[in-house]
């Protein structure tokens, strides 16, 4: 019976001496066409630009109690629109605790120069992912 739980138990020199580790779940997101859900023109533009670069964003994703306009879930990257009265430091702090990174974007600047924000996203998200659909 102990062999079954041995991989979840860690013994340490500090109190508590026996610690139980939780299983971490894999972040798997089904790929769907969700461009219709985007409300603003800036969201639609950013969504389609990321799709063109082979990233699959999820619009209107909730992380605990924080609403991200677009999220790249496997990369833990949230894209949030800047609005008046938005406490950016609090959002960054809360999402950083959960292992997420945040990029804030301004709607007007995004509509004028979308490549600037797309390049920021491409720098934050790793590009060398393994394609499991092809066999080699």
């Amino acid at each position: 019976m102990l062999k079954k739980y041995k991989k979840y138990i860690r013994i340490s020199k500090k109190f508590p001496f026996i610690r139980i580790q939780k299983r971490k779940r894999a972040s798997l997101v089904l790929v769907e066409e969700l461009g219709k859900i985007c409300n603003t023109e800036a969201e639609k533009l950013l969504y389609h630009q990321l799709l063109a670069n082979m990233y699959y964003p999820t619009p209107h994703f909730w992380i605990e109690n924080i609403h991200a306009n677009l999220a790249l879930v496997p990369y833990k990257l949230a894209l949030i629109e800047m609005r008046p009265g938005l406490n950016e430091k609090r959002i960054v702090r809360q999402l950083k605790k959960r292992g997420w990174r945040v990029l804030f974007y301004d709607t007007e600047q995004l509509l004028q120069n979308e490549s600037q924000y797309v390049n920021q996203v491409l720098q934050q998200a790793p590009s060398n992912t393994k394609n499991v659909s092809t066999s080699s």
Side-chain angles (χ1 to χ4, degrees), residues 12-129:
S12 68
K13 295 180 180 179
K14 295 182 180 180
F15 185 79
F17 301 110
I18 298 174
R19 298 178 186 197
I20 299 174
Q21 291 186 339
K22 296 180 181 177
R23 264 186 159 172
K24 295 185 178 181
R25 295 181 181 176
S27 61
L28 178 65
V29 178
L30 296 175
V31 177
E32 298 176 15
E33 175 59 39
L34 299 172
K36 297 172 263 177
I37 299 175
C38 296
N39 293 336
T40 63
E41 193 64 35
E43 283 179 16
K44 290 178 185 178
L45 180 65
L46 195 54
Y47 179 85
H48 291 296
Q49 288 292 327
L50 289 173
L51 272 180
N53 286 308
M54 298 302 292
Y55 289 96
Y56 298 100
T58 305
H60 303 289
F61 189 75
W62 286 91
I63 309 160
E64 295 294 321
N65 60 347
I66 298 171
H67 176 260
N69 295 73
L70 291 171
L72 293 171
V73 178
Y75 304 108
K76 289 195 169 189
L77 181 64
L79 302 166
I80 300 175
E81 179 183 353
M82 286 191 292
R83 295 182 305 268
L86 188 68
N87 191 348
E88 296 174 12
K89 289 181 182 179
R90 181 185 65 85
I91 291 172
V92 169
R93 191 177 340 111
Q94 284 183 344
L95 292 181
K96 191 174 183 180
K97 285 180 186 177
R98 290 165 181 78
W100 284 75
R101 291 169 295 173
V102 183
L103 286 176
F104 292 98
Y105 66 91
D106 186 27
T107 306
E108 294 174 6
Q109 289 180 357
L110 178 66
L111 292 174
Q112 292 173 0
N113 188 6
E114 74 271 356
S115 63
Q116 174 188 0
Y117 288 101
V118 173
N119 289 336
Q120 284 181 357
V121 171
L122 297 179
Q123 288 175 355
Q124 292 288 327
S127 60
N128 54 356
T129 57

